[in-house]
Amino acid sequence: MRSGKNDLYEDLKHQILTMELDPDQLLDELGLSERYGLSRTPVREVFRRLAGEGYLDIQENRGARVAPMNHSTLRNFFLVAPMVYAAIGRLAVHNYKPGQLRELCATQERFRRASAEHDARALVVENNRFHEIMGQMSGNPYLEPSLGRLLIDHARIGNTFFRPRNSEMERDLALAVAHHDSFIEAFGRHDEGAVVDLVFEHWELSRCNMQLYIAPQGLVDDLAASIKGG
């Protein structure tokens, strides 16, 4: 049963990140119980765990749904993400443990291999894991949950980034791989300034692609107005 629960948890998480499950999609509790050989109680336990992490939304008498993405969600994401990412980077420089840096390197190798193989699903998952590890490296119990919630939507609205359609997008993906290498090198030097600079370069790379291919024009206009007003 424990293996079935873990498989269900990991599969649902990956399917949400890679948009195999659409935002606000209702989950079939009975179907999942049968597919994973579980009673409905452990399935509901998995649902509650994923809801606590921000992947699902559970409402009484309405079942479990994939966390929605709407205009308000996206606007808040774009406004808050760079601040949280920068804070995580600063703290990670000073608080990481050697084992965490080794895990970051191993994740980067999988990310690099996925890029070479044009494996979009693996790219989404490994990129998410790379930034999750950076959150763990920060060692901050207040920021890590916020980062985790941001990464869910970052992965979902950034899926197109990992499915390049032209040479420019191919170059951007190659640059993202290079950024990860640079993060690892900067952490190894304990260079806070370099890490923070990379955070904003990396964010800008993602932001431009997200806005161009995913974000609704109204959100882009709102963000431009907010920046001007600030």
Side-chain angles (χ1 to χ4, degrees):
M1 181 175 291
R2 180 171 298 175
S3 176
K5 283 177 65 175
N6 288 341
D7 289 345
L8 175 60
Y9 169 80
E10 292 295 341
D11 287 351
L12 286 178
K13 187 166 75 168
H14 290 174
Q15 287 166 22
I16 291 168
L17 293 175
T18 58
M19 296 286 279
E20 293 171 61
L21 290 172
D22 294 328
D24 208 33
Q25 181 174 332
L26 179 65
L27 297 185
D28 180 1
E29 182 181 304
L30 179 58
L32 290 169
S33 296
E34 294 174 349
R35 189 182 312 161
Y36 287 85
L38 300 169
S39 69
R40 298 180 80 162
T41 296
V43 170
R44 289 171 183 169
E45 290 173 356
V46 171
F47 285 177
R48 286 195 293 271
R49 179 182 177 187
L50 288 168
E53 294 173 357
Y55 290 89
L56 298 181
D57 182 21
I58 300 176
Q59 296 183 10
E60 190 173 356
N61 300 322
R62 292 189 61 190
R65 295 179 177 273
V66 176
M69 285 200 304
N70 51 39
H71 185 277
S72 177
T73 301
L74 294 173
R75 186 176 191 281
N76 287 327
F77 170 82
F78 275 97
L79 291 173
V80 172
M83 293 184 285
V84 173
Y85 293 161
I88 287 287
R90 288 183 188 279
L91 290 170
V93 169
H94 303 289
N95 296 333
Y96 78 82
K97 298 176 176 60
Q100 292 171 325
L101 189 59
R102 288 194 294 272
E103 187 178 359
L104 196 70
C105 291
T107 302
Q108 169 63 353
E109 287 309 307
R110 294 193 298 272
F111 183 72
R112 189 195 317 281
R113 183 165 60 250
S115 177
E117 295 172 354
H118 298 93
D119 186 341
R121 188 177 189 275
L123 280 165
V124 171
V125 171
E126 298 302 342
N127 183 70
N128 191 75
R129 182 59 188 146
F130 187 92
H131 292 285
E132 276 183 342
I133 295 168
M134 285 180 60
Q136 294 165 4
M137 290 164 67
S138 76
N140 189 288
Y142 294 99
L143 279 173
E144 278 191 66
S146 297
L147 175 69
R149 184 63 187 87
L150 285 167
L151 288 177
I152 295 169
D153 287 339
H154 195 145
R156 293 195 292 177
I157 64 181
N159 261 267
T160 303
F161 181 79
F162 296 114
R163 293 175 171 84
R165 302 173 183 175
N166 53 48
S167 59
E168 184 177 359
M169 291 183 72
E170 291 276 7
R171 287 194 300 271
D172 286 346
L173 180 55
L175 184 55
V177 175
H179 282 172
H180 283 195
D181 288 333
S182 296
F183 271 121
I184 291 169
E185 293 169 5
F187 283 129
R189 300 193 307 270
H190 294 276
D191 189 338
E192 179 181 322
V195 167
V196 172
D197 287 346
L198 278 165
V199 163
F200 287 109
E201 288 179 33
H202 201 56
W203 164 250
E204 186 64 17
L205 186 64
S206 297
R207 183 190 64 79
C208 290
N209 279 279
M210 288 176 186
Q211 288 189 359
L212 182 60
Y213 293 97
I214 302 296
Q217 187 58 45
L219 172 62
V220 178
D221 292 342
D222 282 355
L223 287 171
S226 297
I227 293 169
K228 282 186 177 180

